[in-house]
């Protein structure tokens, strides 16, 4: 068993406790869990904790086979504001 | 806007090998990579394949880079790709501008799977790959004495590299187990996977006795009666019956709490004791870095033998998305030699896509696909024992996809 105070999302400092209590009270999908707790929404864009969030959520395992539960969206890396909209 | 016939994302062994082949087919090729050196994960690799025969990744990277430049390939380093999109042609958006191309190859490699452990946000805790890059690429040791948490082929390879660099490894431990997380395994499951480390830990296997690995009951016994001091490989103790429950320190790593763990992953906290170290490596294994394939709308399947969600592709490295190719660890976690031969195949496929078919190119493609199978059969480092089965699954999924889309057209 993991210590519940362990931080899962390092960027937004979300603990395992917060993730599982949120998942339990709202029966959330991975996306909802992310939006409710901000886990996976920090500077690394969820590259570290995305699988942990997916597993902490209450989704059926079958759907996982053909789908990536948490969608990937551009930009896939953090970018500076002044780089947005530029067409060099 | 920049333009090329082929844009390749990733200057690792797959991307560079592909670039060389495409350029030799007469195509204008640009390779983009966010790192400041070419070679990808090759840059960290150093292992003894047989007595006296070393695999030196830096030399391999230099050779590929030179070949690519001599074949007329443009290589842009320090260039981060943010987004790819198919308009008429492929559009690749990066920190250094936009590229347009007829073909696009994703050779973005793999990333490390995290294992959350209490205290893992302290400075001095790093992934095992980070320790490898610090030591072998930047030539800075991660510390004087460290603990590694996680036992897999990457652990064994990098523990040896750290040792060769003069860094002391206090011990290698089992990660804490939590059923909810699919990438976490019990000590018994991890021991079952030891076969794939035959090459990296021969003395260990001899001592545990490979007969202990064959069934669950003997593996449970092996862990129950595991030597308290651990079994050593190159003088580094491996502890199959112990885990690190907490990494301690105030402003930086000072040590860790060690506890016994049984074959099912249950921890005995009452036997906890403390070890002093100045760094900790977490080694959770690798998964394919597929974010750009997902953004491009490629279909995916979860194939655990290949390391996670894999973009649908065939043996000549085509995806179902027109003009989009994949090669290397993005198609499944394997060694650098497999990445190279997959890159060659992809390079030839892009040559065919632009120039049209010919007997020469068909023969080369056929040869390259056969080479991949041969190299896999001879591979010394295997990240997953069932990788061949994983590749066969993907092949089947592709054939089904082709059948279904043909039926849909009719
Ligand atoms: C930490 C680690 C250690 C490894 N150790 C070994 C080992 O000891 N022996 C072994 O055989 N295999 C090892 N491997 C497996 C290794 O992945 C393969 O050997 C091989 O390097 C894979 O080649 P590749 O070309 O597919 O990807 P890589 O070599 O990973 O190259 C991918 C390149 O793509 C670039 N890239 C990715 N995304 C972007 C983006 N959005 N924009 C720009 N550039 C991007 C990266 O910077 C990188 O240079 C290791 C892998 C990792 C992650």
């Amino acid at each position: 068993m993991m210590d519940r105070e362990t931080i899962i999302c390092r960027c937004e400092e979300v603990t395992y406790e917060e993730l599982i209590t949120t998942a339990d009270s709202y029966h959330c999908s991975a996306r909802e869990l992310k939006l409710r707790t901000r886990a996976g929404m920090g500077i690394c864009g969820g590259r570290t904790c995305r699988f942990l969030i997916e597993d902490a959520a209450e989704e059926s395992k079958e759907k996982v086979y053909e789908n990536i539960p948490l969608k990937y969206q551009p930009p896939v890396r953090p970018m500076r504001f002044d780089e947005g909209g530029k067409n060099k | 806007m920049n333009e090329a016939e082929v844009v390749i994302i990733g200057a690792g062994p797959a991307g560079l090998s592909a670039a060389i082949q495409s350029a030799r087919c007469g195509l204008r090729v640009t390779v983009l990579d966010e790192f400041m050196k070419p070679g990808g994960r090759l840059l960290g690799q150093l292992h003894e394949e047989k007595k006296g025969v070393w695999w030196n990744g830096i030399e391999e990277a230099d050779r590929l880079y030179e070949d690519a430049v001599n074949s007329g390939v443009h290589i842009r380093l320090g260039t981060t790709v943010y987004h790819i999109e198919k308009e008429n042609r492929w559009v690749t958006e990066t920190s250094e501008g936009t590229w347009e191309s007829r073909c696009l190859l994703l050779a973005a490699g793999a990333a490390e799977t995290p294992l959350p452990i209490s205290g893992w946000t302290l400075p001095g805790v790093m992934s095992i790959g980070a320790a490898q890059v610090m030591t072998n690429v930047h030539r800075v040791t991660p510390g004087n004495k460290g603990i590694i948490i996680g036992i897999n082929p990457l652990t064994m390879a990098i523990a040896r590299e750290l040792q060769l660099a003069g860094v002391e490894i206090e011990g290698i431990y089992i990660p804490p187990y939590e059923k909810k997380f699919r990438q976490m395994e019990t000590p018994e499951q991890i021991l079952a996977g030891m076969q794939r480390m035959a090459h990296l830990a021969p003395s260990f296997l001899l001592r545990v006795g490979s007969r202990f690995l064959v069934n669950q009951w003997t593996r449970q016994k092996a862990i129950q009666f595991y030597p308290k001091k651990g079994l050593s490989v190159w003088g580094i103790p491996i502890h199959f019956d112990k885990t690190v429950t907490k990494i301690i320190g105030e402003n930086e790593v000072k040590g860790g709490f060690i506890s016994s763990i049984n074959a099912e992953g249950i921890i005995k906290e009452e036997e906890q004791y403390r070890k002093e170290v100045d760094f900790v490596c977490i080694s959770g294994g690798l998964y394919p870095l597929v974010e750009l394939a997902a953004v491009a709308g490629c279909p995916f399947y979860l194939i655990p033998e290949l390391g996670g969600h894999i973009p649908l592709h065939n043996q000549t490295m085509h995806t179902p998305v027109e003009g989009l190719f994949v090669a290397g660890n993005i198609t499944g976690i394997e060694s650098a030699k497999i990445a190279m031969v997959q890159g060659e195949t992809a390079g030839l496929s892009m040559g065919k896509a632009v120039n049209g078919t010919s007997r020469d190119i068909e023969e080369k493609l056929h040869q390259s696909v056969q080479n991949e199978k041969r190299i896999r059969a001879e591979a010394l480092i295997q990240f997953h024992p069932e990788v061949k089965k994983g590749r066969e699954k993907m092949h089947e999924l592709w054939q089904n996809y082709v059948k279904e889309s043909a039926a849909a057209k009719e």
Side-chain angles (χ1 to χ4, degrees), chain A residues 1-2 7 10 16 47-48 51-52 54-55 64-67 72 74-77 79 83 87-88, chain B residues 1 34 80-83 95 98 114 120 177-178 180-183 287 291 294 300-302 309 397:
Chain A
M1 274 288 280
M2 191 154 73
I7 287 176
R10 302 163 60 105
Y16 186 46
R47 260 212 292 176
T48 311
F51 299 126
L52 304 167
E54 288 174 2
D55 291 348
V64 173
Y65 176 62
E66 287 187 27
N67 287 298
Y72 284 98
V76 300
R77 294 285 182 284
M79 64 191 278
E83 280 169 3
N87 207 349
K88 279 186 252 182
Chain B
M1 180 97 72
E34 60 189 331
T80 302
V81 176
Y82 297 131
H83 187 27
S95 55
T98 305
W120 73 319
Y177 177 65
E178 169 61 58
K180 212 165 175 80
F181 295 131
R182 71 189 115 126
Q183 58 261 71
Y287 70 89
E291 49 201 2
F300 277 88
Y301 291 95
L302 179 64
H309 278 98
L397 287 164

Side-chain angles (χ1 to χ4, degrees), chain B residues 290-356:
Chain B
V290 297
E291 49 201 2
L292 288 169
V295 165
C298 193
F300 277 88
Y301 291 95
L302 179 64
I303 305 185
E305 295 88 344
L306 299 180
H309 278 98
I310 309 289
L312 183 64
H313 64 277
N314 69 4
Q315 294 182 328
T316 47
M317 302 292 136
H318 291 77
T319 72
V321 184
E322 147 73 11
L324 186 70
F325 299 79
V326 286
N329 273 200
I330 190 172
T331 73
I333 305 302
E334 289 193 77
S335 73
K337 287 181 182 172
I338 298 280
M340 286 179 191
V341 67
Q342 288 183 332
E344 287 167 17
T345 305
L348 292 166
S349 284
M350 293 189 288
K352 183 176 151 184
V354 175
N355 296 336

Side-chain angles (χ1 to χ4, degrees), chain A:
Chain A
M1 274 288 280
M2 191 154 73
D3 178 356
R4 292 202 164 204
E5 287 311 309
T6 307
I7 287 176
I8 300 291
C9 170
R10 302 163 60 105
C11 305
E12 296 288 318
E13 302 197 330
V14 183
T15 63
Y16 186 46
E17 171 77 33
E18 263 180 275
L19 283 178
I20 49 178
T21 47
T22 308
D24 281 351
S25 12
Y26 297 97
H27 303 285
C28 349
S29 66
R31 179 172 155 76
E32 188 182 337
L33 187 57
K34 166 177 132 174
L35 294 172
R36 283 190 183 277
T37 61
R38 283 204 59 79
M41 294 179 75
I43 183 148
C44 90
R47 260 212 292 176
T48 311
C49 65
R50 71 158 36 235
F51 299 126
L52 304 167
I53 300 168
E54 288 174 2
D55 291 348
E58 284 208 354
E59 260 167 331
S60 82
K61 294 280 174 208
E62 288 133 69
K63 271 199 288 176
V64 173
Y65 176 62
E66 287 187 27
N67 287 298
I68 298 178
L70 276 180
K71 209 176 147 207
Y72 284 98
Q73 275 157 335
V76 300
R77 294 285 182 284
M79 64 191 278
R80 292 206 317 260
F81 277 123
D82 71 344
E83 280 169 3
K86 225 188 252 180
N87 207 349
K88 279 186 252 182

Side-chain angles (χ1 to χ4, degrees), chain B residues 131 134-136 140-148 158-170 234 236 278-279 281:
Chain B
M134 277 180 84
T135 312
N136 294 354
V140 178
T141 56
N144 294 317
K145 185 177 178 183
I147 278 176
I148 301 177
I158 300 176
R160 177 67 168 149
E161 294 171 8
L162 290 170
Q163 189 182 44
L164 290 170
V167 177
E168 188 186 341
I169 304 298
E170 191 280 325
W234 310 299
I236 304 170
D278 61 1
F279 76 100
C281 292

